[in-house]
């Protein structure tokens, strides 16, 4: 869970998530889930925020049944695909889901 002030403190990242959702043609539910995951796991270091936001978006797309390729999510969030690949499973687990085994 996160505090309401986290939403204000990370408004820039929420805006970037919303833009990436639009670029990837994800619906509002997926975007809202991505925001919730990101805000629940927001890192302290600014340099880690882009990768965490991208991984949150990828995980949310999986949760909402709107899977997109890791490379497409990475491109939309301007991070490397490896950044998404390394971070999405722990975010999914922390959100209470079991990651796929494929």
């Amino acid at each position: 869970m996160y505090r309401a002030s986290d939403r204000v403190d990370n408004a820039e990242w929420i805006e970037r998530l919303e833009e990436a959702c639009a670029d990837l043609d994800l619906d509002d539910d997926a975007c809202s889930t991505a925001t919730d995951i990101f805000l629940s796991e927001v890192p302290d270091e600014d340099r880690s925020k882009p990768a965490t936001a991208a991984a949150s978006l990828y995980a949310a797309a999986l949760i909402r049944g709107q899977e997109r390729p890791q490379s497409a999510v990475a491109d939309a969030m301007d991070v490397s695909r490896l950044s998404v690949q390394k971070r999405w499973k722990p975010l999914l687990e922390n959100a209470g889901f079991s990651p796929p085994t494929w």
Side-chain angles (χ1 to χ4, degrees):
M1 222 37 188
Y2 56 89
R3 300 180 314 248
S5 64
D6 292 336
R7 183 173 280 281
V8 173
D9 293 343
N10 292 286
E12 170 190 351
W13 296 105
I14 293 170
E15 184 176 326
R16 287 183 65 183
L17 279 169
E18 290 171 351
E19 290 170 2
C21 285
D23 290 346
L24 295 167
D25 196 31
L26 295 171
D27 68 17
D28 291 342
D29 288 337
C31 194
S32 177
T33 301
T35 300
D36 287 343
I37 292 171
F38 174 71
L39 291 175
S40 294
E41 300 287 333
V42 68
D44 293 332
E45 295 183 27
D46 284 341
R47 67 185 180 127
S48 298
K49 289 181 182 182
T52 302
S56 297
L57 182 55
Y58 181 75
L62 289 176
I63 291 167
R64 293 298 182 176
Q66 300 178 50
E67 182 177 350
R68 300 295 188 268
Q70 289 178 4
S71 58
V73 173
D75 288 346
M77 291 296 296
D78 198 26
V79 300
S80 71
R81 186 193 60 79
L82 187 59
S83 294
V84 175
Q85 181 183 358
K86 290 171 51 176
R87 289 175 174 83
W88 73 271
K89 284 184 181 180
L91 291 175
L92 199 62
E93 289 171 341
N94 290 343
F97 295 90
S98 297
T101 57
W102 34 259

